[in-house]
Structure formats: structure tokens, C-alpha cells
């Protein structure tokens, strides 16, 4: 089964002078390789900070676009990791190994499988 690990953290932590981003990157890449070797790693993607976002809504047939961030909080969604795991327990165990869990939070969610095939181009 596939799971997405939504990564949230406070950008101020990474911007502090004592934070060693290079070390975090090295550890993250090493863990990605460990997950790949175990057949669990499907990919990851980082996201720009919330102030680069635009929120889109349709209300009464009209489009409303609002500059981000949408949620006022210290922690922001920073990216996601896609995992293959046998069940939620294994997915949570794998997510706990992500180095970013040490400075933020990892929200683990099962990916919903669609019962209909994707549209053909």
C-alpha cells in the first residue's frame, strides 16, 4: 500500500545560524537510499514556503484567489515523501526515520486508490 508523509516544520528553525542544513541533507539522502534499498521509497518533493502560495476557491460561480499562506501557524507544509509499506504501522515506523521528523512533524496518510482508470490523453 502507498502512503504519503506530509512534512511540516517551522522555517525559522532551518534559518537559524546554528542549524546545520548540510548535515540534515546528508542524513536525509542516506535515509532515502536506505528506503530505496528496502523497496519503500517512491519519491519526494519539496515545496516553496506558504508565502509563495495562492489559494483558489470557487464561490457562487466566481473564482477567488488569495495570496498565501492560508494557515497562520509557525509550521508550514514543506514537502512530502511517498512510501510503499505493508500497513500503517510500517509506514509510521518508516516515517519516524525521516531526519526532518527531528525538527518538525510528519503526517502519514494512506493514498486513496481510485476505482476508475485515469483518462487517456
Amino acid at each position: 500500500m502507498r502512503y504519503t508523509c506530509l512534512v511540516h516544520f517551522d522555517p525559522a528553525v532551518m534559518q537559524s545560524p546554528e542549524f546545520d542544513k548540510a548535515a540534515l541533507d546528508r542524513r536525509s539522502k542516506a535515509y532515502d537510499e536506505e528506503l530505496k534499498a528496502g523497496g519503500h521509497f517512491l519519491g519526494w518533493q519539496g515545496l516553496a514556503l506558504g508565502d509563495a502560495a495562492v489559494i483558489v476557491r470557487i464561490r457562487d460561480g466566481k473564482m477567488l484567489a488569495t495570496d498565501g499562506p492560508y494557515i497562520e501557524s509557525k509550521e508550514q507544509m514543506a514537502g512530502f515523501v511517498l512510501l510503499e509499506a505493508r500497513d500503517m504501522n510500517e509506514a509510521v515506523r518508516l516515517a519516524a526515520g525521516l531526519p526532518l521528523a527531528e525538527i518538525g512533524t510528519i503526517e502519514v496518510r494512506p493514498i486513496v486508490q481510485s476505482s476508475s482508470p485515469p483518462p487517456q490523453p
Side-chain angles (χ1 to χ4, degrees), residues 23-37 41 97 99:
L24 178 71
D25 288 346
R26 281 192 303 277
R27 292 177 46 234
S28 293
K29 287 178 185 177
Y31 192 60
D32 290 351
E33 292 303 317
E34 186 178 325
L35 290 171
K36 283 178 191 174
F41 186 81

Side-chain angles (χ1 to χ4, degrees), residues 59-99:
R59 300 292 185 268
D60 297 322
K62 295 181 182 177
M63 192 262 307
L64 303 168
T66 308
D67 290 341
Y70 177 64
I71 298 173
E72 294 298 324
S73 115
K74 286 185 179 180
E75 286 195 346
Q76 297 185 28
M77 185 181 302
F80 60 90
V81 177
L82 297 175
L83 297 176
E84 181 74 36
R86 72 177 164 272
D87 56 27
M88 179 62 92
N89 289 333
E90 183 178 40
V92 168
R93 182 184 62 74
L94 295 169
L98 294 168

Side-chain angles (χ1 to χ4, degrees), residues 6 11 13 18 23 34 44 49 61 63 68 72 78-79 94 111 114 116:
L6 303 172
V13 171
E18 63 271 2
E34 186 178 325
W44 68 269
L49 294 178
M63 192 262 307
E72 294 298 324
L94 295 169
I111 293 177
S114 173
S116 59

Side-chain angles (χ1 to χ4, degrees), residues 6-19:
L6 303 172
V7 178
H8 298 81
F9 64 80
D10 180 352
V13 171
M14 280 191 155
Q15 295 165 355
S16 70
E18 63 271 2
F19 185 75

